[in-house]
Structures are given as C-alpha cells and as structure tokens.
Amino acid sequence: QEIAITVSAFAATRHATQTSKLIFTKISDAITANASVLQDWNDMSLVAISYAFMKARHEGNELIELIGNEVLCRKDELSLGARELANLAAAFSYYHMIPCSKDVLELTYEKFQPQ
C-alpha cells in the first residue's frame, strides 16, 4: 500500500518529464510482473493507483486492466465511499479502451445507487 501513496503523491506534482514517465513505467512493470500482489491490496489502494496513473496521464494499460479485473472480482464486497467510486469511475473513463473499463464503470454506477 505504500506504493499507492508514493504514486499518488508523485502524480499530484503532475510533472511530465522523462524521469517521471520512467518511474511510472517501472512501477507498472514491477506490479504487473507480480500481479498476484493486487489480491492483497485493499480497495482504496487499487483506486489510488489507477487514479494516480490517470492523473499522470500514463499509459499503464496492462496494470489498469489488472486492477480493473481485481475490482470486478471483489464487486460484491467492494467497500468504497462516494469519492473513491468517483475516482475509480474517472480513471476507467480515461482508460476507456481497456476491455474491462465498461464493466468497472457499470459497477461504479451500481454502487452509487441507493440500496
């Protein structure tokens, strides 16, 4: 989860230098190389990473696809507030070309509905 905080903080600076692009690429590569670690992350960390990549305008499509699929696996027990759902929707709207985006967006819509 520390990496989620680091990536979010780094994305907040919104620097588009070669170094920042390289850092996001290395982070994406490290996580996708060990994708099973996403199962251990809490819901908020999954949202934070996808939202940070969107804010940085980084094309970490494979990572975002993995995060989207993990979110969908947790759909029944997903525990996110309105802000986190909005951030998740924003990220997957940005990454609309990813196959699971439509399903993640539908899930966020369902979670916004009153029970």
Side-chain angles (χ1 to χ4, degrees):
Q1 280 83 9
E2 292 82 15
I3 197 162
I5 294 166
T6 303
V7 170
S8 293
F10 199 81
T13 64
R14 299 180 193 235
H15 292 292
T17 65
Q18 283 302 108
T19 303
S20 64
K21 290 177 185 175
L22 180 62
I23 289 170
F24 275 88
T25 299
K26 294 291 185 184
I27 290 169
S28 178
D29 291 348
I31 297 170
T32 55
N34 190 17
S36 63
V37 24
L38 294 177
Q39 296 171 357
D40 298 329
W41 287 17
N42 64 38
D43 299 341
M44 299 270 292
S45 294
L46 295 173
V47 173
I49 289 285
S50 57
Y51 190 69
F53 269 69
M54 179 211 63
K55 283 185 357 185
R57 306 260 188 263
H58 190 275
E59 297 302 322
N61 293 353
E62 185 178 357
L63 173 61
I64 302 303
E65 176 81 18
L66 290 169
I67 290 172
N69 287 328
E70 182 62 31
V71 166
L72 292 171
C73 286
R74 301 177 185 191
K75 68 180 180 181
D76 293 331
E77 63 270 354
L78 195 65
S79 178
L80 297 171
R83 182 180 187 144
E84 292 81 22
L85 286 169
N87 288 349
L88 187 63
F92 281 86
S93 290
Y94 178 77
Y95 291 105
H96 61 87
M97 73 298 272
I98 292 174
C100 70
S101 286
K102 181 179 180 275
D103 294 330
V104 173
L105 290 170
E106 286 176 359
L107 175 63
T108 60
Y109 176 76
E110 289 171 13
K111 294 288 184 180
F112 268 121
Q113 300 303 310
Q115 301 297 326

